[in-house]
Amino acid sequence: MERAVRTDLPGLKRRRRRPGAALAPYWMILPGWLWLAAFFVTPVIVMVSLSLQTGDFIDGFRQTFHFSTYADVVRTYHVQLVRSLVYGAAATVACALIGYPVAYWIAFRAGRHKSVFLFLLLLPFFVSFVIRTQSWNVVLADNGVLLGPLKDWGLLSADFHLLATPYAVIGGLTYNFLPFMVLPVYVALERVDPKVVEASTDLYASRTGTFLRVVLPLSLPGVFAGVLLTFVPASADYVNAGILGGPSTTMIGNIIQTEYFTNLDYPGAAALSFVLMGALLLAVFTYARALGTDDVLEAAAR
Amino acid sequence: MSEYSTPAAPRLRGPAERRLTRRGLLRAALGAAALAPLAACSVPGARVHVPTGKAEIAAAVSDFWTGKKGSGKLDFVNYTQYIDVDPTDQSRHPTLDAFTRRSGIEVAYDELIDDSASWFGKIQPEFASGQGIGYDLMVVGGDSYLTKYIQLGYLAPLDHSRLPTFAQYGGAAFKNSSFDPGNVYTVPWQSGMTGIGYDPARVGRKITSWQDLLDPKLHGKVGMWNDAVQMGNVALLAVGVDPETSTHADWRKAAAWLRKQRDAGMVRSYSTATYQSSLQRGDLAASLVYSGDVFQANQSGSQLEFVIPDEGGLLWTDNLCIPSTAAHPVDALTYMDYVYRPEVAARISETVQFVCPVPAAQKVVARDAAAATGKQHTVLDALSTSPLVFPTEADESKLRHLRVLDEEEEKQWNALFEPIYQA
C-alpha cells in the first residue's frame, strides 16, 4: 500500500519519464567548469611547471623538476615574505576597525541616502589605483598639506616624515582596500532583521549588549568575507610599497614583479608566487579555524 | 525575513577524521597524475645566430631589405613626452607633420613605453609567436634588453646606404656604442646623463663627488633608484672604476659602497618613479637624476643643480630600431634618416631637453634663440648653451658608458645590486 503511494509522488514520476534529467545540473555547470579549466587550472599547471624548470630566457627553460628553486627563493626573500603578510594583516585590521563603523552607519543610520553613501564609497574607484596612490605621495609630503602646518605649529619635529616608512605603506594599503571591507560588512548588517534587535531590547539587553550579542555575531560572516577580500590582495600588492615605501618596505609583490619583468627569471617568479599563495592559504585557514569556521568558502559566501 | 544566519559552531572532530581513507589515497594518486603534464611543459629558447663580421652583416642586411618597398605609412612607438609638441595643440608633433609633408608618409605615433622591462614583457609574446607588434619603429634603451632583442633576432639590421644624414650629422660620441658596435641595429634617438641633482638651498653647499652622498648632513634625504643597471654603474664610478672595464671584484666593491650608504641611513627611498617630484618638493635634498629631468624641473620653477661628479657620470642612449616583423620597414628607415637633419634634431631637443645626438643642432637652437623674444628667447638661449643638452668637451671627458652584460654576468650583477634596494 505504502509503495503505491510513493510511486505517485510527482518528483519520482518526472524522473522516470526523463532519465537524463538527473544529469541536468551537471550540464548546466559545465560552462563554469570549462571556464575554470581554461583560465584557472591550465595557467596554474603551466606556472607550477615553470617553477620547476631551469634555464634562461634566451636559451629557453627546460623541465628539470628543480624543487630547490622553492627553497632558494624562501631563503633569499623570507624577510619580504613575512613583511608582506604582516603589512597585509595590519592593513586588514585597520580596514576592519575603520570599515565596520562605516558599514554600520550606512546600514542603520543613513536612511534613504544609503545608496548615495555607497556610491561615495566607491567613487575613488573611478580613478586609477596608481594615480590615487601617487596622490597620497603628494598629501603626505614632508612639508605638504598634512605635515607642513603641523610642523609650522611646532607639533612635529622638522625631521618627522611619514613617506618611506611602513606606516605610509600600510596606510596606503588600508586606503586602497577599505571598500572591500565595507561592502561585505554592509551587506551582512543589512541582512540583520530589525525585529531581532527589537526582541533583544524587549528582553532587557542594553544597547551595547544588543550590539555585542546580536548584531556583531550576525555580521561576522561579512567581516570574514571582508578579511579575505582585503588580506589576500593587500599582502600581494606591490604598488603601495613602490610609491609610498622607503629603503626597507619592499613587499613580495615588488620582488615577483622584478623577477618576472626585469630579470626574466620565470622559475623564480613562479616559485615565489606559489610560496605566497601557500602562505596566504595557510594564514586564511588558520584564521578560519581560530574563528571557529570549518568551511572557509561557505563562510565567505554567506 | 524569517531565517537568521549565525556563525557556524565548530564541528566536533573525532580522531577518525584524520585517518588516511580510501578516498584520500585516491586523491593522492590523482595528485601524482596531475604532476605528469608538468614534465611535458618547457619554454623553448629562441636564440638566433647573430651575424658578425662585415660580410655576414652585409648579407643579413641585403637578405632583409631586398624587395622591400616604401608604403607611405609608419607606425612609431615611443616613451612618453619624448618628442616635440605643438604648444597650441599637445596632440600635434610639428616634426612628424613636417615629415609627412616632405615624404608623403603618414605617421601613426604612440607613446606607450614606460620602461624597457615592461615594454619587453608586453611585446615579447608577439615576437615569439611571429606576429607583428603593430609598429615599424620603436625606441629601446641601450641596456641588457637591447642585447636580448638582438640575440632573439627581433631587430632588423639597418641598411646604412639609406641613412646618409646619420653618417653626416650623428655625433661621434653616439656612434659605435658598446651595446651595438657599428650601429648594426640601432641609431640613437636621444641621449642623457645620469649624475646628481640637488637643491643648493637645502644642501647648503656644492656637491661635487659621489662621496657627498655619504655626507651626514644629507642623512635620510638622499634619493637612489630601484634600477640595478644605473645603480650598479653609478656605484662603480663612486668607487673609482670605469664601468665598461670593471671586474666582478669591482662590482662587489661597488655593492659594498651602496650598502654602506644604505646602512648609514642616508637613503630616503629607492625609486625611479617619484624622485623628480620628491626632489622638487624637498622630500629629497639630493638624488640620482637624469639630466633632462633637472632641466625640465627648472623650467617649471625649481632651482635644482645638476652635477656630473668628479669621479664621472654616465652617458646612456635611447635608440631607434626597426622590429624584424615591421610591416613598413622602408618608411621607418626614411624617418630614421630624417631625424638626423640638424633642424629636426633641434626642434626635438627644444622640447625634450635631453642630450642631443646631433651636435650640429646646437647652432640651429642658437639661431632660433636669436630669432625668439621674451620667455621663449630665455629658454632657447639657456638650452643652446646648456651642457645638459650639448655637453662640453670637459663634460664629455667625464662621462662613462654603461657596462654591457651577458646573460651570466647579468645574473651575478642583479644578485649583487638588487638586494640593496629590495631589502
Side-chain angles (χ1 to χ4, degrees), chain B residues 19-44:
Chain B
R19 260 188 358 223
L20 188 59
T21 57
R22 200 184 298 163
R23 193 184 287 175
L25 270 177
L26 187 67
R27 264 190 212 152
L30 281 175
L35 268 178
L38 299 186
C41 305
S42 70
V43 181

PDB file of all heavy atoms in Angstrom, chain B residues 19-44:
ATOM      1  N   ARG B  19      42.324   9.952   9.649  1.00  0.00           N
ATOM      2  CA  ARG B  19      42.871   8.731   9.072  1.00  0.00           C
ATOM      3  C   ARG B  19      42.931   8.808   7.566  1.00  0.00           C
ATOM      4  O   ARG B  19      42.103   9.436   6.929  1.00  0.00           O
ATOM      5  CB  ARG B  19      42.027   7.546   9.510  1.00  0.00           C
ATOM      6  CG  ARG B  19      42.679   6.798  10.653  1.00  0.00           C
ATOM      7  CD  ARG B  19      42.041   5.535  11.018  1.00  0.00           C
ATOM      8  NE  ARG B  19      40.845   5.176  10.288  1.00  0.00           N
ATOM      9  CZ  ARG B  19      39.774   4.679  10.896  1.00  0.00           C
ATOM     10  NH1 ARG B  19      39.764   4.561  12.198  1.00  0.00           N
ATOM     11  NH2 ARG B  19      38.734   4.318  10.189  1.00  0.00           N
ATOM     12  N   LEU B  20      43.916   8.130   7.004  1.00  0.00           N
ATOM     13  CA  LEU B  20      44.018   8.101   5.558  1.00  0.00           C
ATOM     14  C   LEU B  20      42.949   7.146   5.040  1.00  0.00           C
ATOM     15  O   LEU B  20      43.004   5.947   5.258  1.00  0.00           O
ATOM     16  CB  LEU B  20      45.414   7.611   5.149  1.00  0.00           C
ATOM     17  CG  LEU B  20      45.723   7.701   3.660  1.00  0.00           C
ATOM     18  CD1 LEU B  20      45.603   9.134   3.171  1.00  0.00           C
ATOM     19  CD2 LEU B  20      47.108   7.180   3.389  1.00  0.00           C
ATOM     20  N   THR B  21      41.967   7.691   4.383  1.00  0.00           N
ATOM     21  CA  THR B  21      40.866   6.864   3.900  1.00  0.00           C
ATOM     22  C   THR B  21      41.148   6.409   2.481  1.00  0.00           C
ATOM     23  O   THR B  21      42.106   6.855   1.852  1.00  0.00           O
ATOM     24  CB  THR B  21      39.574   7.684   3.899  1.00  0.00           C
ATOM     25  OG1 THR B  21      39.812   8.823   3.082  1.00  0.00           O
ATOM     26  CG2 THR B  21      39.211   8.105   5.304  1.00  0.00           C
ATOM     27  N   ARG B  22      40.260   5.553   1.970  1.00  0.00           N
ATOM     28  CA  ARG B  22      40.435   5.104   0.591  1.00  0.00           C
ATOM     29  C   ARG B  22      40.341   6.304  -0.344  1.00  0.00           C
ATOM     30  O   ARG B  22      41.072   6.448  -1.294  1.00  0.00           O
ATOM     31  CB  ARG B  22      39.342   4.080   0.259  1.00  0.00           C
ATOM     32  CG  ARG B  22      39.712   3.231  -0.924  1.00  0.00           C
ATOM     33  CD  ARG B  22      38.588   2.315  -1.290  1.00  0.00           C
ATOM     34  NE  ARG B  22      38.255   1.391  -0.224  1.00  0.00           N
ATOM     35  CZ  ARG B  22      37.116   0.725  -0.176  1.00  0.00           C
ATOM     36  NH1 ARG B  22      36.222   0.873  -1.134  1.00  0.00           N
ATOM     37  NH2 ARG B  22      36.872  -0.098   0.807  1.00  0.00           N
ATOM     38  N   ARG B  23      39.404   7.202   0.013  1.00  0.00           N
ATOM     39  CA  ARG B  23      39.243   8.384  -0.814  1.00  0.00           C
ATOM     40  C   ARG B  23      40.527   9.235  -0.817  1.00  0.00           C
ATOM     41  O   ARG B  23      40.931   9.782  -1.825  1.00  0.00           O
ATOM     42  CB  ARG B  23      38.075   9.223  -0.302  1.00  0.00           C
ATOM     43  CG  ARG B  23      37.649  10.282  -1.270  1.00  0.00           C
ATOM     44  CD  ARG B  23      36.581  11.152  -0.711  1.00  0.00           C
ATOM     45  NE  ARG B  23      35.298  10.483  -0.641  1.00  0.00           N
ATOM     46  CZ  ARG B  23      34.230  11.029  -0.085  1.00  0.00           C
ATOM     47  NH1 ARG B  23      34.306  12.228   0.453  1.00  0.00           N
ATOM     48  NH2 ARG B  23      33.092  10.405  -0.050  1.00  0.00           N
ATOM     49  N   GLY B  24      41.137   9.286   0.365  1.00  0.00           N
ATOM     50  CA  GLY B  24      42.389  10.047   0.482  1.00  0.00           C
ATOM     51  C   GLY B  24      43.470   9.478  -0.415  1.00  0.00           C
ATOM     52  O   GLY B  24      44.197  10.211  -1.092  1.00  0.00           O
ATOM     53  N   LEU B  25      43.543   8.158  -0.419  1.00  0.00           N
ATOM     54  CA  LEU B  25      44.536   7.505  -1.268  1.00  0.00           C
ATOM     55  C   LEU B  25      44.285   7.836  -2.738  1.00  0.00           C
ATOM     56  O   LEU B  25      45.196   8.134  -3.503  1.00  0.00           O
ATOM     57  CB  LEU B  25      44.471   5.983  -1.067  1.00  0.00           C
ATOM     58  CG  LEU B  25      45.361   5.417   0.020  1.00  0.00           C
ATOM     59  CD1 LEU B  25      45.131   3.924   0.161  1.00  0.00           C
ATOM     60  CD2 LEU B  25      46.824   5.688  -0.329  1.00  0.00           C
ATOM     61  N   LEU B  26      43.012   7.773  -3.098  1.00  0.00           N
ATOM     62  CA  LEU B  26      42.639   8.067  -4.472  1.00  0.00           C
ATOM     63  C   LEU B  26      43.056   9.481  -4.836  1.00  0.00           C
ATOM     64  O   LEU B  26      43.606   9.745  -5.907  1.00  0.00           O
ATOM     65  CB  LEU B  26      41.118   7.898  -4.610  1.00  0.00           C
ATOM     66  CG  LEU B  26      40.581   7.999  -6.043  1.00  0.00           C
ATOM     67  CD1 LEU B  26      41.078   6.809  -6.853  1.00  0.00           C
ATOM     68  CD2 LEU B  26      39.057   8.027  -6.024  1.00  0.00           C
ATOM     69  N   ARG B  27      42.813  10.390  -3.888  1.00  0.00           N
ATOM     70  CA  ARG B  27      43.190  11.778  -4.117  1.00  0.00           C
ATOM     71  C   ARG B  27      44.686  11.924  -4.347  1.00  0.00           C
ATOM     72  O   ARG B  27      45.136  12.627  -5.234  1.00  0.00           O
ATOM     73  CB  ARG B  27      42.804  12.641  -2.922  1.00  0.00           C
ATOM     74  CG  ARG B  27      41.472  13.310  -3.118  1.00  0.00           C
ATOM     75  CD  ARG B  27      41.267  14.325  -2.022  1.00  0.00           C
ATOM     76  NE  ARG B  27      39.840  14.413  -1.708  1.00  0.00           N
ATOM     77  CZ  ARG B  27      39.368  14.759  -0.539  1.00  0.00           C
ATOM     78  NH1 ARG B  27      40.190  15.034   0.445  1.00  0.00           N
ATOM     79  NH2 ARG B  27      38.079  14.839  -0.337  1.00  0.00           N
ATOM     80  N   ALA B  28      45.453  11.210  -3.518  1.00  0.00           N
ATOM     81  CA  ALA B  28      46.912  11.286  -3.650  1.00  0.00           C
ATOM     82  C   ALA B  28      47.336  10.781  -5.017  1.00  0.00           C
ATOM     83  O   ALA B  28      48.208  11.370  -5.674  1.00  0.00           O
ATOM     84  CB  ALA B  28      47.565  10.461  -2.548  1.00  0.00           C
ATOM     85  N   ALA B  29      46.689   9.693  -5.471  1.00  0.00           N
ATOM     86  CA  ALA B  29      47.036   9.142  -6.772  1.00  0.00           C
ATOM     87  C   ALA B  29      46.706  10.146  -7.871  1.00  0.00           C
ATOM     88  O   ALA B  29      47.494  10.368  -8.797  1.00  0.00           O
ATOM     89  CB  ALA B  29      46.277   7.834  -7.001  1.00  0.00           C
ATOM     90  N   LEU B  30      45.552  10.782  -7.739  1.00  0.00           N
ATOM     91  CA  LEU B  30      45.166  11.788  -8.730  1.00  0.00           C
ATOM     92  C   LEU B  30      46.157  12.935  -8.732  1.00  0.00           C
ATOM     93  O   LEU B  30      46.513  13.469  -9.781  1.00  0.00           O
ATOM     94  CB  LEU B  30      43.758  12.312  -8.433  1.00  0.00           C
ATOM     95  CG  LEU B  30      42.614  11.406  -8.877  1.00  0.00           C
ATOM     96  CD1 LEU B  30      41.282  11.975  -8.404  1.00  0.00           C
ATOM     97  CD2 LEU B  30      42.617  11.277 -10.398  1.00  0.00           C
ATOM     98  N   GLY B  31      46.607  13.297  -7.536  1.00  0.00           N
ATOM     99  CA  GLY B  31      47.589  14.374  -7.416  1.00  0.00           C
ATOM    100  C   GLY B  31      48.863  14.036  -8.162  1.00  0.00           C
ATOM    101  O   GLY B  31      49.416  14.852  -8.908  1.00  0.00           O
ATOM    102  N   ALA B  32      49.310  12.795  -8.004  1.00  0.00           N
ATOM    103  CA  ALA B  32      50.524  12.362  -8.691  1.00  0.00           C
ATOM    104  C   ALA B  32      50.302  12.403 -10.201  1.00  0.00           C
ATOM    105  O   ALA B  32      51.183  12.821 -10.964  1.00  0.00           O
ATOM    106  CB  ALA B  32      50.896  10.955  -8.252  1.00  0.00           C
ATOM    107  N   ALA B  33      49.100  11.996 -10.631  1.00  0.00           N
ATOM    108  CA  ALA B  33      48.805  12.004 -12.063  1.00  0.00           C
ATOM    109  C   ALA B  33      48.816  13.432 -12.600  1.00  0.00           C
ATOM    110  O   ALA B  33      49.228  13.691 -13.731  1.00  0.00           O
ATOM    111  CB  ALA B  33      47.450  11.355 -12.316  1.00  0.00           C
ATOM    112  N   ALA B  34      48.386  14.382 -11.739  1.00  0.00           N
ATOM    113  CA  ALA B  34      48.342  15.773 -12.174  1.00  0.00           C
ATOM    114  C   ALA B  34      49.743  16.320 -12.408  1.00  0.00           C
ATOM    115  O   ALA B  34      49.936  17.255 -13.176  1.00  0.00           O
ATOM    116  CB  ALA B  34      47.619  16.619 -11.131  1.00  0.00           C
ATOM    117  N   LEU B  35      50.739  15.723 -11.724  1.00  0.00           N
ATOM    118  CA  LEU B  35      52.121  16.184 -11.899  1.00  0.00           C
ATOM    119  C   LEU B  35      52.661  15.805 -13.273  1.00  0.00           C
ATOM    120  O   LEU B  35      53.557  16.447 -13.792  1.00  0.00           O
ATOM    121  CB  LEU B  35      53.017  15.566 -10.823  1.00  0.00           C
ATOM    122  CG  LEU B  35      53.216  16.366  -9.548  1.00  0.00           C
ATOM    123  CD1 LEU B  35      54.091  15.595  -8.586  1.00  0.00           C
ATOM    124  CD2 LEU B  35      53.850  17.718  -9.861  1.00  0.00           C
ATOM    125  N   ALA B  36      52.089  14.723 -13.851  1.00  0.00           N
ATOM    126  CA  ALA B  36      52.612  14.219 -15.108  1.00  0.00           C
ATOM    127  C   ALA B  36      52.693  15.273 -16.220  1.00  0.00           C
ATOM    128  O   ALA B  36      53.742  15.404 -16.857  1.00  0.00           O
ATOM    129  CB  ALA B  36      51.803  13.007 -15.553  1.00  0.00           C
ATOM    130  N   PRO B  37      51.611  16.042 -16.450  1.00  0.00           N
ATOM    131  CA  PRO B  37      51.717  17.008 -17.555  1.00  0.00           C
ATOM    132  C   PRO B  37      52.820  18.043 -17.339  1.00  0.00           C
ATOM    133  O   PRO B  37      53.291  18.650 -18.307  1.00  0.00           O
ATOM    134  CB  PRO B  37      50.330  17.670 -17.590  1.00  0.00           C
ATOM    135  CG  PRO B  37      49.659  17.300 -16.331  1.00  0.00           C
ATOM    136  CD  PRO B  37      50.270  16.043 -15.851  1.00  0.00           C
ATOM    137  N   LEU B  38      53.235  18.227 -16.070  1.00  0.00           N
ATOM    138  CA  LEU B  38      54.281  19.214 -15.800  1.00  0.00           C
ATOM    139  C   LEU B  38      55.549  18.873 -16.559  1.00  0.00           C
ATOM    140  O   LEU B  38      56.296  19.728 -16.999  1.00  0.00           O
ATOM    141  CB  LEU B  38      54.607  19.266 -14.310  1.00  0.00           C
ATOM    142  CG  LEU B  38      53.470  19.661 -13.395  1.00  0.00           C
ATOM    143  CD1 LEU B  38      54.002  19.808 -11.981  1.00  0.00           C
ATOM    144  CD2 LEU B  38      52.858  20.950 -13.853  1.00  0.00           C
ATOM    145  N   ALA B  39      55.798  17.564 -16.674  1.00  0.00           N
ATOM    146  CA  ALA B  39      57.033  17.138 -17.310  1.00  0.00           C
ATOM    147  C   ALA B  39      57.056  17.538 -18.785  1.00  0.00           C
ATOM    148  O   ALA B  39      58.108  17.752 -19.371  1.00  0.00           O
ATOM    149  CB  ALA B  39      57.191  15.634 -17.171  1.00  0.00           C
ATOM    150  N   ALA B  40      55.849  17.641 -19.365  1.00  0.00           N
ATOM    151  CA  ALA B  40      55.792  17.909 -20.801  1.00  0.00           C
ATOM    152  C   ALA B  40      56.051  19.377 -21.119  1.00  0.00           C
ATOM    153  O   ALA B  40      56.475  19.710 -22.221  1.00  0.00           O
ATOM    154  CB  ALA B  40      54.433  17.499 -21.337  1.00  0.00           C
ATOM    155  N   CYS B  41      55.799  20.258 -20.141  1.00  0.00           N
ATOM    156  CA  CYS B  41      55.930  21.686 -20.412  1.00  0.00           C
ATOM    157  C   CYS B  41      57.383  22.112 -20.396  1.00  0.00           C
ATOM    158  O   CYS B  41      58.175  21.643 -19.595  1.00  0.00           O
ATOM    159  CB  CYS B  41      55.212  22.511 -19.342  1.00  0.00           C
ATOM    160  SG  CYS B  41      53.501  22.078 -19.134  1.00  0.00           S
ATOM    161  N   SER B  42      57.744  23.004 -21.293  1.00  0.00           N
ATOM    162  CA  SER B  42      59.019  23.700 -21.173  1.00  0.00           C
ATOM    163  C   SER B  42      58.928  24.938 -22.050  1.00  0.00           C
ATOM    164  O   SER B  42      58.066  25.032 -22.903  1.00  0.00           O
ATOM    165  CB  SER B  42      60.188  22.817 -21.590  1.00  0.00           C
ATOM    166  OG  SER B  42      60.153  22.602 -22.975  1.00  0.00           O
ATOM    167  N   VAL B  43      59.756  25.894 -21.761  1.00  0.00           N
ATOM    168  CA  VAL B  43      59.731  27.131 -22.530  1.00  0.00           C
ATOM    169  C   VAL B  43      60.933  27.093 -23.469  1.00  0.00           C
ATOM    170  O   VAL B  43      62.072  27.154 -23.014  1.00  0.00           O
ATOM    171  CB  VAL B  43      59.815  28.358 -21.598  1.00  0.00           C
ATOM    172  CG1 VAL B  43      59.764  29.631 -22.409  1.00  0.00           C
ATOM    173  CG2 VAL B  43      58.691  28.322 -20.585  1.00  0.00           C
ATOM    174  N   PRO B  44      60.698  26.956 -24.762  1.00  0.00           N
ATOM    175  CA  PRO B  44      61.828  26.807 -25.681  1.00  0.00           C
ATOM    176  C   PRO B  44      62.668  28.080 -25.758  1.00  0.00           C
ATOM    177  O   PRO B  44      62.143  29.184 -25.631  1.00  0.00           O
ATOM    178  CB  PRO B  44      61.161  26.503 -27.023  1.00  0.00           C
ATOM    179  CG  PRO B  44      59.785  27.058 -26.900  1.00  0.00           C
ATOM    180  CD  PRO B  44      59.413  26.954 -25.456  1.00  0.00           C
TER     181      PRO B  44
END
